[in-house]
């Protein structure tokens, strides 16, 4: 397999060097940028597989960079920010980022996030038009045309809201979706809806699709941020 190309956008030289060294030892290729303008330029010219984007750059707001890149690219964007910048992370995810890392992060965390992002790229590239009408992820299957969901071949009985929630998560597998995004997409903002009621719907959906209670095999919770559907490897992955 070709070496994946990662664009590392970071103005802190020490952090940038650490990431670059890590990528090198793991056999990834990388390009670096230390400004927002440089990031957009590199993203256009080197066409990376994944972009690691520090939100605290001197010249440009993270959301602005994501919006610019999203205008022509669907590449996974993982934002990196300090713990105090939770609202920035949410804004970045709403603008189209896939995932986030909070500084300080471990090497293992960084590599795990990259693997998730690259798995999405590979899957998106393989997807044929026939597969677009059937979703399969581990033991989970959705037949969009029939409006049915299955687990291990058994139909799962979902309420209309649960089904909409499941489809939204499935269509964005690998991506962290914020509470606001989910509320907007599922309820359209017309009905009184809020994060606590979303949590209730998510709990009942989980009971129906997760094989083990308490284990987040399919739907991952991001406290204070949102939820993500995880792509399963051979039907069994933590
Ligand atoms: Ca910074």
């Amino acid at each position: 397999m070709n070496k994946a190309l990662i664009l590392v956008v970071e103005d802190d030289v020490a952090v940038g060097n650490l990431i670059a060294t890590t990528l090198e030892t793991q056999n990834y290729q990388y390009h670096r940028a230390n400004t927002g303008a440089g990031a957009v330029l590199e993203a256009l010219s080197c066409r990376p597989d994944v972009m690691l984007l520090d939100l605290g750059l001197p010249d440009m707001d993270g959301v602005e960079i994501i919006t610019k890149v999203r205008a022509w690219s669907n590449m996974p964007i993982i934002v990196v920010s300090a713990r105090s910048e939770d609202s920035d992370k949410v804004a970045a995810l709403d603008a189209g980022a896939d995932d986030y890392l909070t500084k300080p992060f471990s090497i293992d965390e960084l590599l795990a996030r990259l693997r998730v992002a690259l798995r999405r790229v590979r899957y998106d590239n393989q997807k044929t038009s026939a597969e677009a009408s059937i979703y399969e992820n581990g033991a989970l299957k959705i037949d969009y045309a029939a409006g049915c969901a299955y687990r291990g071949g058994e139909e799962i009985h979902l309420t209309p809201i649960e089904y909409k929630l499941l489809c939204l998560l499935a269509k964005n597998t690998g991506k962290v979706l914020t509470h606001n995004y989910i509320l907007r997409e599922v309820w359209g903002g017309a009905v009184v809806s809020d994060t606590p009621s979303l949590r209730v719907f998510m709990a009942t959906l989980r009971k129906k699709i997760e094989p083990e209670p308490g284990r987040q095999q399919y739907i991952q919770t991001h406290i204070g941020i949102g939820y993500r559907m995880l792509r399963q490897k051979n039907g069994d992955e933590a």
Side-chain angles (χ1 to χ4, degrees), residues 126-204:
Q126 286 166 1
K127 207 157 53 176
T128 62
S129 55
E131 281 170 324
S133 62
I134 300 275
Y135 172 83
E136 277 186 289
N137 183 15
L140 194 64
K141 185 172 155 182
I142 305 169
D143 182 338
Y144 292 119
C148 296
Y150 306 85
R151 193 181 78 185
E154 298 265 319
E155 187 174 352
I156 314 167
H157 297 284
L158 300 171
T159 66
I161 291 280
E162 287 164 359
Y163 180 72
K164 270 179 106 170
L165 264 176
L166 179 64
C167 289
L168 182 68
L169 288 163
K171 286 183 170 155
N172 293 282
T173 298
K175 243 179 140 153
V176 178
L177 303 181
T178 66
H179 295 135
N180 276 339
Y181 179 82
I182 298 171
L183 289 171
R184 208 168 53 229
E185 292 294 313
V186 174
W187 282 273
V191 184
V192 180
S193 57
D194 50 23
T195 308
S197 53
L198 172 58
R199 202 172 296 142
V200 173
F201 280 106
M202 208 56 96
T204 62

Side-chain angles (χ1 to χ4, degrees), residues 9-12 54-58 80 103:
V9 187
E10 174 62 74
D11 65 328
D12 183 319
D54 173 32
L55 286 181
L57 292 171
V80 181
K103 284 180 185 173

Side-chain angles (χ1 to χ4, degrees), residues 64-86:
E64 197 184 336
I65 302 170
I66 295 163
T67 309
K68 279 185 199 286
V69 172
R70 275 287 171 264
W72 53 269
S73 170
N74 190 33
M75 81 174 86
I77 301 174
I78 303 171
V79 296
V80 181
S81 74
R83 197 165 295 280
S84 57
E85 297 163 332
D86 249 4

Side-chain angles (χ1 to χ4, degrees), residues 89-140:
K89 268 183 275 197
V90 170
L93 290 166
D94 274 337
D98 288 67
D99 200 353
Y100 59 91
L101 270 169
T102 305
K103 284 180 185 173
F105 52 84
S106 71
I107 299 296
D108 287 347
E109 248 181 301
L110 167 67
L111 295 173
R113 301 305 171 91
L114 279 177
R115 281 194 297 271
V116 169
L118 287 165
R119 207 173 295 146
R120 171 163 96 69
V121 176
R122 273 201 303 276
Y123 183 80
D124 282 356
N125 291 343
Q126 286 166 1
K127 207 157 53 176
T128 62
S129 55
E131 281 170 324
S133 62
I134 300 275
Y135 172 83
E136 277 186 289
N137 183 15
L140 194 64

